[in-house]
Amino acid sequence: MPYNEIEAADRSEIRERQNERLRETVRNAYENVPFYREQMDEMGVGPADIETIEDITKLPTTTKEDFRDEYPDGLFAVDHSEVRRIHASSGTTGKPKIVAYTEDDLDVWKEAMARSLAAAGVTEDDLVQNAYGYGLFTGGAGLQQGAETLGAALLPIGGGDTEKQLEMMTDLGSDALACTPSYSLYIAEHAEEQGIDPRDLPVSTVIFGAEPCTDPMREEIERRLDVNGIDLYGLSEIVGPGVSIECHEAQDGLHVWEDRFYPEVVDPATGEPVEEGEEGELVLTTLNKDALPVLRYRTGDMTSLNYEECECGRTMVRMDNVTGRSDDLLIVRGINLYPSQIEDTILEIDDVAPHYRIDLYEQDNLDVIELTVEQAEDAERGKDQLQEVVADRLDSVLAFTPDSLEIVDPGAIARTEVGKVQRVYDHR
Ligand SMILES: [Zn+2]
């Protein structure tokens, strides 16, 4: 049952809201953000040219570099006195991207996150263990507000301290766990080390996000912890977590709350829209944010859109789960490859644990790629035999041969307890 009836409304009603809110958003951006006004003037487009959502392609795009260039508050559309909260998304390089919310914006976020949790199957009787990081990162606050708005109970434990996570989960009977996919596996491993069968833990739903997660990785999480694994998507530049989520009924694509965040998919090279259902880069426009209206944000995340009605009854468009970013693309000796394709291929093999790393070097002006794969605890094949199987599979599925392929002992690859897991190390 949807949290908000708009989730299952007639498409024409959703369209109506999008049209109206796009007009308001463009007016706000044009009148109050010099960055957008200059770009639109240059393109010869004004608020009067935007009548329906189809007109969105007339608008300029926004990039992460724009956030950095306009640091700290050049993209704000309201006076500081109206701002109620500021978050920031950490960049590995340069200034963080600063995002701001008015009181109304916070309400929009809370509602979107409450919808998301309800779609995940969380009810007001449930206890949600929130193992996302708190602070400037939007993960912790987003989950917390959403759970409270829904009327569920929330345990704000934050990331890390796995010992305590397990103890409180068991003692309090947490129904849902929110964290990165890699951390949910870490918790499972830690439980096993303590002689606890992770399937006996009280959690029945893991809501994961902030990292890409391929289907085999999700299956591993579901099997190891005996849970429903629900993929949650969001990004600070747009709002934080709660832009889209899988419904627990179908678990087949993430419903985008498109009355609030409008999705387009474009060719990452040209920026032109792709055909419906085709893969490309996700572009998002906020339709409901006052402090920081964002027009056509180039997320870098690769996905496709599916407008077919879902078996859950929701009519809102579904996006495919994001397993790669356009800037993650590895180009090795003329072969274009996403790390997620490697993950997808190797995790299909029994005896391979869901832990691997990819190292990139440059030698004599050539790219060298080294792959390290962990053997599963209960592996039947020896390491040599497993290495052959992995190499064969990579070659037959991806036509890809790493320069070196090492199979290592169970537990040999470092785990990430706090923050996002790193799997690709570029030493070039
Ligand atoms: Zn659905």
Side-chain angles (χ1 to χ4, degrees):
M1 180 96 118
Y3 178 79
N4 185 327
E5 57 189 37
I6 190 70
E7 296 169 51
D10 203 71
R11 293 285 320 161
S12 62
E13 195 184 329
I14 295 171
R15 204 31 57 130
E16 205 48 53
R17 286 204 194 185
Q18 290 172 334
N19 294 343
E20 190 187 315
R21 286 177 178 172
L22 181 66
R23 290 193 292 266
E24 284 166 17
T25 298
V26 171
R27 209 174 309 121
N28 182 23
Y30 187 84
E31 284 169 10
N32 300 308
V33 187
F35 167 82
Y36 284 122
R37 188 165 52 243
E38 281 160 27
Q39 294 217 42
M40 287 173 63
D41 284 347
E42 221 167 89
M43 295 168 78
V45 54
D49 299 310
I50 307 301
E51 281 174 37
T52 68
I53 199 78
E54 276 80 26
D55 295 321
I56 201 164
T57 53
K58 297 177 185 166
L59 295 168
T61 58
T62 312
T63 64
K64 61 175 187 241
E65 286 74 28
D66 295 329
F67 270 86
R68 300 225 164 91
D69 293 346
E70 297 296 320
Y71 176 90
D73 58 359
L75 294 175
F76 291 11
V78 296
D79 196 69
H80 280 227
S81 63
E82 286 182 58
V83 172
R84 291 289 172 276
R85 177 96 62 80
I86 288 181
H87 280 279
S89 100
S90 58
T92 38
T93 52
K95 298 278 192 195
K97 287 164 271 180
I98 304 288
V99 295
Y101 307 79
T102 62
E103 190 87 45
D104 285 348
D105 294 340
L106 288 173
D107 287 342
V108 164
W109 187 14
K110 286 174 194 171
E111 200 271 344
M113 221 18 255
R115 274 190 213 183
S116 303
L117 289 169
V122 174
T123 72
E124 40 188 71
D125 300 327
D126 288 340
L127 173 62
V128 180
Q129 181 159 338
N130 185 12
Y132 277 115
Y134 278 81
L136 289 174
F137 173 54
T138 47
L143 259 295
Q144 166 139 357
Q145 297 163 178
E148 289 170 355
T149 304
L150 178 65
L154 185 105
L155 183 66
I157 192 163
D161 203 345
T162 312
E163 198 79 46
K164 183 168 266 158
Q165 301 271 2
L166 273 172
E167 188 183 301
M168 298 201 81
M169 181 186 290
T170 312
D171 293 349
L172 294 169
S174 305
D175 302 286
L177 169 68
C179 62
T180 59
S182 64
Y183 191 56
S184 68
L185 284 174
Y186 187 82
I187 289 180
E189 246 177 13
H190 202 82
E192 277 162 7
E193 276 165 23
Q194 297 194 345
I196 303 167
D197 185 339
R199 290 171 300 183
D200 294 339
L201 293 170
V203 168
S204 58
T205 304
V206 173
I207 298 156
F208 52 76
E211 281 172 9
C213 184
T214 59
D215 283 339
M217 182 70 85
R218 177 228 298 274
E219 282 159 24
E220 177 80 14
I221 293 167
E222 294 192 323
R223 187 182 63 79
R224 288 276 282 276
L225 285 149
D226 188 23
V227 291
N228 257 347
I230 303 286
D231 196 6
L232 167 69
Y233 176 82
L235 64 173
S236 309
E237 298 91 310
I238 296 302
V239 76
V243 172
S244 66
I245 192 162
E246 286 174 323
C247 60
H248 70 103
E249 294 95 336
Q251 283 184 283
D252 182 20
L254 292 77
H255 288 284
V256 182
W257 307 133
E258 57 175 314
D259 56 322
R260 303 202 182 281
F261 317 107
Y262 185 75
E264 299 169 81
V265 174
V266 304
D267 180 323
T270 64
E272 291 299 316
V274 301
E275 295 288 319
E276 191 182 317
E278 231 174 86
E279 194 186 64
E281 180 181 350
L282 179 66
V283 172
L284 287 167
T285 298
T286 63
L287 295 179
N288 234 182
K289 275 178 65 225
D290 297 332
L292 190 74
V294 178
L295 304 183
R296 307 190 75 210
Y297 185 64
R298 298 282 302 253
T299 66
D301 292 325
M302 300 296 287
T303 189
S304 59
L305 295 177
N306 173 4
Y307 279 91
E308 276 167 40
E309 199 173 313
C310 181
E311 64 182 69
C312 71
R314 288 178 183 82
T315 47
M316 290 206 174
V317 65
R318 282 172 285 165
M319 57 183 257
D320 200 12
N321 61 332
V322 173
T323 54
R325 293 182 47 79
S326 56
D327 45 9
D328 284 344
L329 187 67
L330 307 172
I331 302 173
V332 188
R333 294 184 303 268
I335 296 178
N336 293 1
L337 205 62
Y338 285 105
S340 59
Q341 289 177 285
I342 297 179
E343 175 176 309
D344 224 339
T345 307
I346 60 177
L347 294 193
E348 291 286 350
I349 304 168
D350 291 340
D351 296 350
V352 167
H355 303 287
Y356 62 95
R357 62 179 280 164
I358 297 165
D359 286 273
L360 297 162
Y361 300 94
E362 192 182 290
Q363 252 170 37
D364 307 324
N365 292 320
L366 283 177
D367 290 328
V368 170
I369 180 163
E370 292 183 357
L371 178 62
T372 310
V373 177
E374 201 175 289
Q375 187 183 30
E377 193 79 54
D378 52 1
E380 285 174 11
R381 298 185 189 88
K383 279 198 243 170
D384 288 349
Q385 206 189 346
L386 187 55
Q387 194 213 28
E388 255 173 61
V389 173
V390 172
D392 280 353
R393 184 69 69 93
L394 287 170
D395 183 41
S396 63
V397 178
L398 300 174
F400 163 65
T401 307
D403 295 277
S404 113
L405 169 61
E406 194 186 354
I407 309 291
V408 296
D409 286 331
I413 291 176
R415 306 292 195 253
T416 306
E417 237 188 306
V418 179
K420 300 181 190 185
V421 69
Q422 188 181 2
R423 295 201 174 95
V424 180
Y425 296 82
D426 195 341
H427 313 278
R428 293 175 296 186

